[in-house]
Amino acid sequence: YLEEPPAAELYELAQAALDALPPEERAASILIIETGELLREAGRLEEARALFEEALEARRASLGPGDPSTLTALNSLGLLLREEGKLDEAAPLLAEAVESRRKSQGDRHPETLTSINNLGALYKAQGKYELALPLYQEALDTRREILGSRHPDALTSINNLASLLQTTGELDEAERLLAEAHGTAKAVLGADHPHTRIFAVNLKGLK
């Protein structure tokens, strides 16, 4: 059994490998995103942002806006800005990610649905509930259809939509959805699973 190196050591290793790359390969390498994610996890958000911006700018220019690698950088930067509380800066990036994934991967692709969910969460954080609602609903309906109502991603979508409905005062529908999520998670994942416990707490908060 090999112990994983500490986070600081992982970052140093990733940064050294990134710095060793030729300039023309640096921004297109997966290493730049991985190094940025390590920095983000360490709370070094400004350094992470610089890497994500570098990757996005170079990938837009060399690969085009719809390339999967460009969309990965776009999503990473948008989520980082959301984490920093810079919601107005994050919004156009996450909206572009949704639009580009719809065009290149289709409305039903798992990564498109994740991007839809991310944009819905951003709009909810901005208080733009009327924009968040159709996105959360679309993600849930599509995941139910493709994955089934018992899949963890579908349960996540149920919880997200219920949380939004609770915020907008639609408590009966929120309670119905959370009861479904809790019952399904209990049957599929077990009563002690973290997701089941979260659904139980959220449901109790409505009663």
Side-chain angles (χ1 to χ4, degrees):
Y1 175 75
L2 295 176
E3 292 188 3
E4 186 174 302
E9 185 177 336
L10 281 173
Y11 160 71
E12 297 297 340
L13 290 169
Q15 186 66 58
L18 181 62
D19 291 343
L21 289 175
E24 65 273 13
E25 295 180 18
R26 175 182 166 96
S29 170
I30 192 174
L31 268 174
I32 196 168
I33 299 297
E34 291 181 343
T35 304
E37 291 294 349
L38 288 169
L39 286 167
R40 184 188 62 77
E41 290 170 10
R44 296 163 64 173
L45 301 185
E46 289 187 11
E47 294 170 82
R49 178 175 178 173
L51 289 182
F52 292 154
E53 288 176 338
E54 176 188 349
L56 179 57
E57 182 180 357
R59 291 175 182 188
R60 277 194 202 276
S62 63
L63 301 173
D67 186 88
S69 294
T70 304
L71 296 178
T72 296
L74 183 69
N75 189 65
S76 294
L77 179 57
L79 292 178
L80 176 68
L81 290 168
R82 189 181 76 181
E83 187 174 335
E84 288 183 305
K86 299 175 180 177
L87 304 183
D88 291 341
E89 291 182 56
L93 296 177
L94 295 180
E96 181 184 346
V98 170
E99 182 180 357
S100 295
R101 289 198 188 279
R102 285 191 193 277
K103 288 179 179 177
S104 63
Q105 297 174 302
D107 294 335
R108 298 160 65 87
H109 192 281
E111 290 181 349
T112 304
L113 295 173
T114 296
S115 291
I116 289 170
N117 186 74
N118 289 340
L119 183 58
L122 176 75
Y123 285 149
K124 180 174 182 274
Q126 288 182 307
K128 298 178 179 178
Y129 305 135
E130 73 285 358
L131 297 179
L133 180 60
L135 293 172
Y136 275 160
Q137 189 70 62
E138 178 185 358
L140 173 57
D141 291 346
T142 307
R143 283 172 168 169
R144 280 193 196 275
E145 183 180 348
I146 295 173
L147 304 171
S149 296
R150 297 163 69 88
H151 191 280
D153 287 351
L155 294 177
T156 296
S157 282
I158 291 172
N159 186 67
N160 291 342
L161 180 57
S163 174
L164 177 62
L165 293 172
Q166 181 180 4
T167 301
T168 58
E170 298 177 62
L171 302 184
D172 289 344
E173 180 62 10
E175 182 175 350
R176 185 190 69 78
L177 287 169
L178 283 173
E180 177 193 351
H182 178 253
T184 303
K186 189 175 181 180
V188 175
L189 303 173
D192 294 327
H193 192 278
H195 288 177
T196 308
R197 291 179 178 274
I198 288 170
F199 297 145
V201 169
N202 291 347
L203 182 59
K204 187 176 181 181
L206 281 172
K207 294 183 176 181

